[in-house]
Amino acid sequence: MSDKSIKVAIVGLGFGAEFIPIYKEHPNAEMYAICQRNEEKLNEIGDAFGISKRYTDYAELLKDPDIDAVHINTPIPNHAEQSIAALKAGKHVACTVPMATTVEECRQIVELVKETGLTYMMMETVVYSREFLFVKEMYENGDLGRIQFLRASHHQEMKGWPGYWEGLPPMHYATHCVGPILALSRSEAEYVSCFGSGRIDEELIGKYGSPFAVETCHIKFRKSDLSAEITRSLFNTARQYCESFDIYGSLKSFEWNLIENENPVIHTGETPERVEVPDYAHLLPEKIANFTSAGVYDSDDNQHLSFIQGAGHGGSHPHLAHEFVSALMEGRQPYPNAVQSANITCVGILAHESAMNGGEIIKMPDFTLSED
């Protein structure tokens, strides 16, 4: 790794293609290599963006000594295995959510980060969305006063998505609502209790043995008087797509809009006011600032499914890439680092376990890095 740039390889070129132009334009990154099993798709993307270093085999990519970091954008079942392999190969890792599908996989990643001194960052979009950055600014300025309670929800109909999604327990993909409520005050969850509600179609239940249409979890924060509530649904629940969070403070509160494209509400005392959330491109290097509002999937005839449903992920992508690259350049921990990513991910994993056991309280594993 030079003192001027990080050589990045992107693995998985569906949603992952969105990050190619960002790394190409970032002043401290080199968009060095891409990896995709489908050679035709690999060459199509490589030709479109002028990237000559191409791999169809992830194991071969990891042997390339010139690669400093991998950014993993593959299906959920591959995240932990590929992150672990990259760390063992001496590469820094950025990985789309969730970190893993089991507590043990999360533990392995945290332990490898300890052993190697390498960097891991889970690329959670909501904690770099313009809405979150807006509320974070209010919180840091003292406008909210004392935080009293937090709530988040993620409703999404997954019918028609790839096969591994079919019947997935709602809380197994909970990072988009767990992330923001923990990230605001850089908190960690201490324990959870979760209830399942309703029932999905019978043909969906068998794959994971999860019957619930909706799962709702309470989270107790570690070393804090705060708790939060999160709600997830994936199938058979009528609701427009929504990744939302509400923050209740002693002076002001923020409530997400109920319908997409409306403005959220700020309550000052008992007085409500709709507010327009500004963009936060000014926090970014000039060359990548425009990617908060435009990217690869930004035209009517070129839309990725996650963008159609996800409203462009709140302009988060350049912020995520910049945080990862900046952390490597500055020799600091990114947010969320391996421990924080494991805590966020395990909330969902253990929340579902709690739901399957009637709301049993389950404590979070104690993940720590050596410098913590």
Side-chain angles (χ1 to χ4, degrees):
M1 190 167 70
S2 77
D3 59 354
K4 292 184 179 180
S5 67
I6 311 296
K7 289 185 176 180
V8 178
I10 290 183
V11 184
L13 300 176
F15 164 59
E18 179 72 15
F19 290 90
I20 292 174
I22 298 172
Y23 286 120
K24 284 192 69 161
E25 293 298 324
H26 195 286
N28 297 117
E30 178 182 343
M31 185 60 254
Y32 177 76
I34 53 176
C35 182
Q36 172 82 21
R37 286 176 297 183
N38 183 312
E39 189 168 9
E40 183 180 350
K41 176 71 177 293
L42 176 72
N43 289 329
E44 178 187 336
I45 296 292
D47 292 347
F49 290 100
I51 300 167
S52 58
K53 204 74 172 179
R54 307 172 190 179
Y55 292 91
T56 57
D57 187 330
Y58 181 60
E60 288 302 310
L61 178 148
L62 293 181
K63 294 176 184 178
D64 189 329
D66 291 327
I67 294 172
D68 297 313
V70 296
H71 183 165
I72 298 167
N73 298 278
T74 54
I76 289 172
N78 304 124
H79 291 179
E81 178 185 9
Q82 291 179 337
S83 296
I84 288 166
L87 290 166
K88 287 182 176 179
K91 313 300 184 187
H92 302 287
V93 175
C95 184
T96 190
V97 300
M99 182 186 214
T101 59
T102 69
V103 173
E104 179 53 34
E105 289 170 336
C106 292
R107 190 183 304 281
Q108 288 180 45
I109 293 170
V110 171
E111 289 300 322
L112 275 168
V113 167
K114 282 186 192 179
E115 292 168 13
T116 62
L118 294 165
T119 295
Y120 174 96
M121 177 181 171
M122 184 173 73
M123 304 295 263
E124 172 46 61
T125 54
V126 179
V127 303
Y128 288 93
S129 67
R130 59 181 63 90
E131 293 85 359
F132 182 82
L133 296 174
F134 175 64
V135 175
K136 180 173 178 280
E137 185 175 65
M138 291 180 65
Y139 173 64
E140 292 175 348
N141 289 342
D143 295 337
L144 299 177
R146 181 183 181 86
I147 299 299
Q148 304 289 25
F149 184 64
L150 308 93
R151 176 187 291 122
S153 64
H154 180 183
H155 298 283
Q156 184 171 8
E157 176 57 59
M158 302 302 292
K159 184 177 180 180
W161 283 64
Y164 69 87
W165 289 99
E166 294 175 355
L168 187 75
M171 284 293 169
H172 277 198
Y173 190 62
T175 67
H176 292 326
C177 48
V178 178
I181 61 100
L182 292 177
L184 186 62
S185 57
R186 294 294 194 263
S187 300
E188 291 186 10
E190 182 180 0
Y191 56 83
V192 298
S193 173
C194 182
F195 287 98
S197 182
R199 192 172 183 87
I200 58 176
D201 292 338
E202 295 302 316
E203 63 268 23
L204 294 172
I205 294 173
K207 192 161 189 176
Y208 296 95
S210 173
F212 305 122
V214 179
E215 291 181 330
T216 300
C217 173
H218 270 91
I219 302 170
K220 178 66 177 68
F221 287 28
R222 183 173 288 140
K223 298 178 181 177
S224 172
D225 56 8
L226 286 174
S227 65
E229 178 235 313
I230 60 170
T231 303
R232 279 295 281 117
S233 68
L234 287 168
F235 297 95
N236 303 130
T237 304
R239 178 65 169 88
Q240 183 187 38
Y241 181 99
C242 181
E243 292 176 16
S244 71
F245 57 83
D246 303 326
I247 311 294
Y248 296 93
S250 58
L251 300 179
K252 292 179 183 287
S253 297
F254 172 92
E255 288 188 329
W256 196 277
N257 40 295
L258 287 174
I259 301 173
E260 191 173 348
N261 298 321
E262 291 185 347
N263 287 330
V265 176
I266 295 290
H267 298 265
T268 303
E270 297 183 11
T271 303
E273 177 188 7
R274 288 202 179 273
V275 294
E276 185 171 345
V277 175
D279 196 38
Y280 279 80
H282 64 277
L283 300 179
L284 296 165
E286 185 177 353
K287 284 190 172 184
I288 64 168
N290 64 303
F291 291 113
T292 62
S293 57
V296 174
Y297 299 109
D298 59 359
S299 64
D300 290 340
D301 59 351
N302 185 32
Q303 288 283 316
H304 191 268
L305 187 53
S306 69
F307 271 52
I308 294 170
Q309 289 193 328
H313 299 158
S316 60
H317 297 166
H319 293 283
L320 285 163
H322 182 55
E323 172 68 3
F324 182 55
V325 171
S326 296
L328 294 178
M329 293 299 298
E330 297 165 14
R332 62 172 175 82
Q333 290 291 310
Y335 186 86
N337 65 17
V339 167
Q340 293 155 338
S341 300
N343 186 258
I344 291 168
T345 299
C346 286
V347 164
I349 294 169
L350 296 178
H352 175 65
E353 184 179 325
S354 171
M356 296 297 287
N357 288 282
E360 174 189 359
I361 291 176
I362 301 181
K363 289 188 175 181
M364 290 294 106
D366 184 17
F367 299 112
T368 54
L369 288 175
S370 57
E371 67 267 27
D372 287 354

